[in-house]
Amino acid sequence: LNFGFSRGLLPEATSFTLLVKAALRQGDAQAAEEVLSSAVRYGVRPEAEAFNAMICFEEADLIHAEKWFARMRRFQVAPTQASFVGLVDAAARAGDLPMAEYWYDEALKIGIQMQGPSYANLVMAAELLGDSAAVEKWFRMACQRQAAVQESFIEKLLSILMDRQDLSGARAWLQRAKEARIDLNGDAMGNILKQLMRTQNFKAADEWFKHLQEVGISLAPKIFIEAINSLAIAEQWRDAECWYQRCPDLEISQGLKFDRLIICASRGGDYPAAQRWYQRSEAANQRPDAMAFVALVHGACEHGEGQEAERWFQEVIDSNLTPTVNLYTPLVRRFAQDGEMEKAEAWFERILEAGLKPGIFPYTSLVSGFLRLKKLKEAEDWLRKSLEAGLKSDDVMYSALIDGYCKEGSAASLQRATELLEVMLRRAAKPKPRLITKL
């Protein structure tokens, strides 16, 4: 816009409208007002759409909406349905039912009808005031409108109640809608479920789903996809599986965040669940991304499945992802814990072959693995290698070796344990009293 101004090019009204909407999307009403003021300053009459955006700005109050309606009339811009919808809704949200009804009547005078959401706001305003007659009146008027208005009315009504976490109220109004023979389709009711999922109100979503089942309303597969993906984002993989099983059409895989579900299940220590999500992704011909395979490597290692971890590692390679040392380390640890020291050492060598520098943890795993097998010489060799690599070996490895030599019990072993304790002391370590007791 400034580019045009600086070169003497006067933008048309639509340009100002676009900027007004952009400002309001960011919640900046002041910037939107400045845009409209600049339009007037340059002699451009703003479009009705720009004024309507200001009137319908949800964060604004009734005074704000009426101010912009007045300016709209002053510039001789004809109000539209959206103008009156904004005024009725602003008054209803403020709990000012008389003013909401006034603007409703003003719209009727010029032949403008309200849409379903406005009737919902009127009903809710009347309910908050405890005016049961007005509640009945506006509900009846909404029911007399065409099907599309009825549907959007009940959807908005339920949405308001869900925002208030009034599930019992939502159930009551849903029942009233059925009694009034409003055609309730699964899409409209599913939108309420999506609203709850997006706000991570999973408990209410679960209750709402069960209620819809009770009243015989079926949901489209896309609603289940939305629910599962929302749970994936929240790392609720177990609940995601529950929703997956609920869908009558299990061919809903297109659009599911399999990668996320695999990763969060693996991180959560539920490797079998991660496997199931991988199998579902395969069945849907959706190959997970490399990070999902990384998660499966870690998950398999934590679950004690070394061979499976090796298979997942190869999938990482096949995905053209360059493994870091953090991907090799759990494999070294897994095989060392299982006592398969040749494999553990082989995976350590692969770290070096890949041109990576092992940290202290692969060494610790190898020392611990040989100690469990009572192979003290090999354990001490790996301690020495860690020192030669310039790593500061932790006191845990020294303590474990001393403990191992003490258990062996020979004079030579006790001598070596004493020497290692001296090394610890020279390193300014503070051995636990238990080591002295052992010796």
Side-chain angles (χ1 to χ4, degrees), residues 381-395:
D381 284 345
W382 279 106
L383 174 61
R384 177 180 50 76
K385 288 177 182 178
S386 72
L387 296 171
E388 290 172 354
L391 296 171
K392 184 180 179 181
S393 295
D394 59 17
D395 295 340

Side-chain angles (χ1 to χ4, degrees), residues 33 36-37 51 54 65-77:
E33 188 164 348
L36 278 176
S37 297
F51 283 111
M54 298 298 289
E66 290 181 330
K67 176 184 78 173
W68 282 102
F69 183 80
R71 289 185 181 180
M72 185 180 198
R73 300 308 296 267
R74 190 165 69 246
F75 280 96
Q76 297 182 338
V77 176

Side-chain angles (χ1 to χ4, degrees), residues 122-242:
L122 285 160
V123 168
M124 287 291 97
E127 191 170 76
L128 285 174
L129 291 173
D131 189 341
S132 57
V135 169
E136 191 61 34
K137 165 192 162 185
W138 289 112
F139 178 71
R140 191 169 58 253
M141 290 181 71
C143 291
Q144 291 169 355
R145 297 293 308 280
Q146 63 265 38
V149 173
Q150 291 177 5
E151 184 183 319
S152 60
F153 157 69
I154 199 65
E155 183 180 340
K156 177 64 176 179
L157 195 64
L158 296 173
S159 176
I160 294 169
L161 290 164
M162 288 299 185
D163 280 342
R164 296 177 186 170
Q165 298 185 9
D166 185 1
L167 189 60
S168 61
R171 284 176 173 172
W173 275 108
L174 183 61
Q175 185 59 37
R176 285 200 67 178
K178 285 180 71 70
E179 291 168 358
R181 297 186 179 180
I182 293 177
D183 185 21
L184 302 170
N185 67 54
D187 284 348
M189 298 302 99
N191 288 337
I192 307 299
L193 191 67
K194 289 198 291 185
Q195 175 187 336
L196 293 169
M197 282 292 182
R198 286 169 185 161
T199 56
Q200 297 195 354
N201 194 347
F202 300 129
K203 183 179 179 181
D206 191 61
E207 291 178 14
W208 184 243
F209 172 78
K210 290 174 181 175
H211 182 66
L212 293 180
Q213 279 189 313
E214 289 170 6
V215 297
I217 295 176
S218 300
L219 298 176
K222 64 182 179 181
I223 305 300
F224 290 89
I225 293 173
E226 180 90 23
I228 293 167
N229 286 341
S230 296
L231 288 160
I233 292 168
E235 300 194 359
Q236 302 287 332
W237 68 93
R238 293 189 183 93
D239 290 336
E241 282 203 286
C242 175

Side-chain angles (χ1 to χ4, degrees), residues 383 387 395 398 402 416-429:
L383 174 61
L387 296 171
D395 295 340
Y398 278 101
I402 292 169
R416 184 57 187 150
T418 305
E419 291 169 359
L420 288 171
L421 183 59
E422 292 284 2
V423 173
M424 283 186 74
L425 293 169
R426 285 199 299 272
R427 293 175 60 248

